[in-house]
Amino acid sequence: MDSSQTVIKVGPGDTTLRARLLGTRLREKREAAGLKLVAAATLNKRRPATLSRWETGERMPHPSELFYALELYGVGGAERDELMRIAEEAHDQPESPDVVSTAVADFEWLHRRAYRLEYFCDTALPGLLQTADYAREVLKAWDPTSSSERIERTLAARMARQERLAGEDALEVCAIVGEGALRTVVGGPELMRAQLRHLLDCAALRTVELRVVPFGAGAHPGSVGSFSILRFRDDRDLAHVITRAGDIYLEDPEPFTQALRRIKRVALSQRESIAMIAALTKAMT
């Protein structure tokens, strides 16, 4: 991983991903304009501390404030429109901290904007391909202290995302899963059998690529953990890693793209993967 790339961490109690992303862009544009923080603050008619909070994501500028700053920094056209859209969407969205966690809300926003998701999952199946029963068990195991109400709200958001698997503007999905994720019996044999059947249904969709890395593949780049890549038509792609300390987004997904490419080399073909999943489904007792 290139240590010089931008890493955006969103954890418990942290600012939202949208504010962090926007702040990162603002800092880049200010520096590209050759302005120090104090000089930029003077031009923006704001205190340096206010600009600093914008750039760290501690505070989201109002759309009118953002427009003025982008004008000062010489940012226009499609790039300005995209940054303005981030601020406007955040500003228009009613505050509802009890609906879902910040991490879930952020991912919901990214999911709506992405046209393609690429996964490597080694221990649990991708959220987009989970049944509700399987997802509920995974959420309980991830945080046993979470209330049933919170789990159900998070689950509802996850299930709603699956609607994008169908339709004219269906989300493209490339899911590479480790064999261990298929063999881990989550919630008992009956529940897991239903999950495996659901995987087969998903693999039949024209926009879904599903492949399995068998145990026999040995060591590979995914051995260090799961990750995903979000692809956008009108913005930079992002790599996403979930950790106990919070969600991490990286603005240069190329190291993960290369890792996924190498993982694919040792994965079974889609036809072979489907055959393996079908056999495991039949054998699940």
Side-chain angles (χ1 to χ4, degrees), residues 225-264:
S226 302
F227 61 87
S228 62
I229 303 169
L230 298 99
R231 305 286 186 188
F232 306 96
R233 289 194 171 93
D234 56 359
D235 201 358
R236 305 177 193 178
D237 297 335
L238 291 172
H240 178 214
V241 180
I242 299 173
T243 78
R244 284 288 177 185
D247 288 27
I248 296 175
Y249 295 87
L250 300 102
E251 291 201 294
D252 177 12
E254 186 56 28
F256 295 87
T257 298
Q258 293 178 10
L260 194 64
R261 188 178 300 123
R262 293 195 296 272
I263 293 170
K264 282 186 175 183

Side-chain angles (χ1 to χ4, degrees), residues 69-109:
L70 294 175
E71 285 283 296
L72 290 173
Y73 302 160
V75 180
E79 187 173 23
R80 180 179 63 192
D81 293 344
E82 175 57 25
L83 295 177
M84 288 297 300
R85 186 157 51 246
I86 293 175
E88 288 165 355
E89 288 176 354
H91 183 72
D92 292 340
Q93 179 177 314
E95 294 186 8
S96 51
D98 294 332
V99 175
V100 289
S101 69
T102 296
V104 172
D106 283 335
F107 194 76
E108 289 295 312
W109 173 69

Side-chain angles (χ1 to χ4, degrees), residues 116-161:
R116 179 177 173 85
L117 265 66
E118 300 171 1
Y119 294 94
F120 172 71
C121 298
D122 197 31
T123 56
L125 298 169
L128 269 181
L129 307 183
Q130 294 176 1
T131 65
D133 289 337
Y134 179 98
R136 186 179 292 107
E137 294 298 319
V138 170
L139 290 170
K140 287 179 183 176
W142 176 257
D143 184 6
T145 66
S146 188
S147 68
S148 58
E149 292 81 8
R150 190 175 185 84
I151 287 175
E152 290 304 315
R153 288 194 296 265
T154 302
L155 176 62
R158 182 171 298 186
M159 294 299 103
R161 286 200 297 271

